[in-house]
């Protein structure tokens, strides 16, 4: 009987456990997590923090889900190390757990700002369900707030401020939100969306240090220019620090994440990795890449499990991810790797409609759609087909995209 051990019960670990049970009905499957509750929907926790959703719909699996599938779930369990010679996972409090095949799906922990008082009460990171509960509590009692981190997670804090009627200041280091994926024209639509909900973007800013009261609760953020912003709470979203401390000495190759091939296999036999924590070989890009989207993590977990259960690697991970934001009066969607292009084509259609497509070696590698998301499936199709289309950007920027208007491939 094969013993599978999965470290992490996010969507990638849980997806892998479910797939392993389907692929190998008689195997022993153990899922280890340091969280105190089983899988929940990380996408919906922001709706809870906004005050829009109660707790119940956010939970995906109760403990019975694991029992029904004969999967051992070990909550509140801290992994201390992995012995790759003996094939054993050492835990702090649950003893040693042997494995034949191991999946690392531990994700990351939000990075703390390296400034004074960044651990003060009232300074929140947005990652776990527990975080969302704390943010909701702070926001409901707050008059003003500061948000730090000009990316996809930071904007969730801005939305919480808007939904809870909190006057927010969004401190950004650069001259616009998500500056690696958006031009100033596209970013300005997002800035207007923030202002409409009562959050003011502050550019060329950031945090030099936080001020606190005598109880150690945050009262203000001071930016590098000396500007001071009062706040009853602060939201910090400046990226993830990957949870790999327990892998010291295990010999896994890492480069800002665990390196895996297209089968989710690490450089160490019988050890796989999935989810945020991976730098995977992207078969569409032809190079290592990273992606933190829910759909990508779920698919990585499934593909890893298929290959763990097989005698030989059977299935490649091939996925075009997308990430959507629904906080404003207009929708927003990014797909693929919008920050990786070597050339771009973009167009603004109205005050709330804008499109940008990123190309690498003439092929679409990602993009951003604001206001009108209808072209996404066609752009993803072109990505999957790896079709060279950069020289026909005009067709891709038409209000209604018709792929039949592209020149036949052999004529290019």
């Amino acid at each position: 009987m094969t013993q599978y051990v999965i470290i992490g019960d996010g969507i990638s670990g849980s997806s892998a456990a479910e797939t392993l049970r389907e692929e190998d009905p008689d195997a022993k499957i153990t899922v280890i997590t340091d969280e105190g509750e089983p899988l929940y929907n990380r996408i919906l926790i922001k709706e809870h923090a906004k005050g829009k959703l109660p707790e119940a719909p956010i939970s995906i699996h109760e403990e019975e889900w694991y029992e029904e599938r004969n999967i051992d779930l070990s909550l509140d369990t801290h992994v201390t190390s992995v012995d790759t010679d003996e094939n054993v996972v050492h835990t702090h409090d649950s003893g040693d757990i042997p494995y034949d095949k191991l999946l690392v799906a531990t994700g990351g922990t939000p990075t703390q700002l390296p400034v004074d008082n960044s651990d003060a009460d009232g300074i929140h990171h947005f990652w776990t369900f527990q975080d969302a509960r704390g943010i909701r509590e702070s926001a409901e009692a707050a008059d003003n707030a500061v948000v730090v981190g000009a990316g996809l997670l930071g904007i969730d804090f801005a939305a919480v401020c808007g939904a809870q009627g909190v006057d927010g200041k969004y401190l950004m280091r650069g001259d616009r939100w998500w500056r690696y994926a958006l031009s100033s024209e596209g970013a300005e639509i997002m800035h207007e969306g923030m202002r409409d909900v009562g959050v003011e973007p502050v550019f060329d800013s950031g945090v030099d240090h936080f001020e606190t009261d005598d109880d150690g609760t945050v009262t203000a953020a001071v930016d590098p220019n000396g500007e001071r912003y009062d706040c009853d709470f602060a939201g910090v979203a400046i990226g993830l620090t990957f949870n790999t401390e327990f892998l010291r000495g295990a010999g896994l190759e890492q480069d800002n994440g665990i390196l895996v091939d297209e089968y989710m296999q690490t450089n160490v036999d019988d050890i796989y990795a999935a989810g945020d924590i991976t730098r995977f070989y992207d078969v569409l890009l032809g190079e290592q890449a990273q992606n933190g989207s829910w759909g990508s993590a779920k698919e990585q977990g499934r593909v890893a499990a298929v290959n763990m259960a097989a005698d030989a690697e059977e299935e490649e991970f091939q996925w075009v991810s997308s990430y959507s934001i629904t906080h404003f009066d207009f929708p927003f969607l990014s797909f693929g790797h919008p920050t990786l292009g070597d050339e771009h084509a973009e167009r603004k259609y109205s005050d709330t409609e804008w499109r940008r497509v990123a190309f690498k070696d003439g092929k679409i590698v990602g993009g951003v759609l604001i206001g009108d998301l209808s072209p996404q499936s066609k752009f993803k199709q072109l990505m999957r087909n790896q079709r060279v289309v950069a020289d026909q950007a005009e067709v891709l920027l038409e209000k209604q995209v018709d792929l039949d208007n592209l020149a036949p491939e052999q004529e290019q």
Side-chain angles (χ1 to χ4, degrees), residues 205-233:
S205 179
V207 177
D208 179 77
H209 64 276
F210 290 104
E211 294 178 2
T212 61
D213 62 16
D214 293 341
D215 297 329
T217 301
V218 68
T219 55
V222 179
D223 80 3
N225 310 313
E227 295 289 334
R228 184 180 181 280
Y229 301 93
D230 287 325
C231 59
D232 300 313
F233 84 93

Side-chain angles (χ1 to χ4, degrees), residues 320 335 355 364 369 373-385 387 389 395-396 398-404 406:
V320 180
F335 64 93
R355 184 184 307 169
I364 298 178
L369 304 171
L373 310 188
S374 60
Q376 67 161 308
S377 57
K378 293 169 182 173
F379 290 160
K380 287 180 173 182
Q381 181 186 328
L382 290 172
M383 277 184 72
R384 282 189 285 266
N385 295 344
R387 192 163 165 186
V389 289
V395 177
L396 307 178
E398 288 291 335
K399 187 82 174 72
Q400 301 299 324
V401 179
D402 185 348
L403 298 187
D404 290 339
L406 289 169

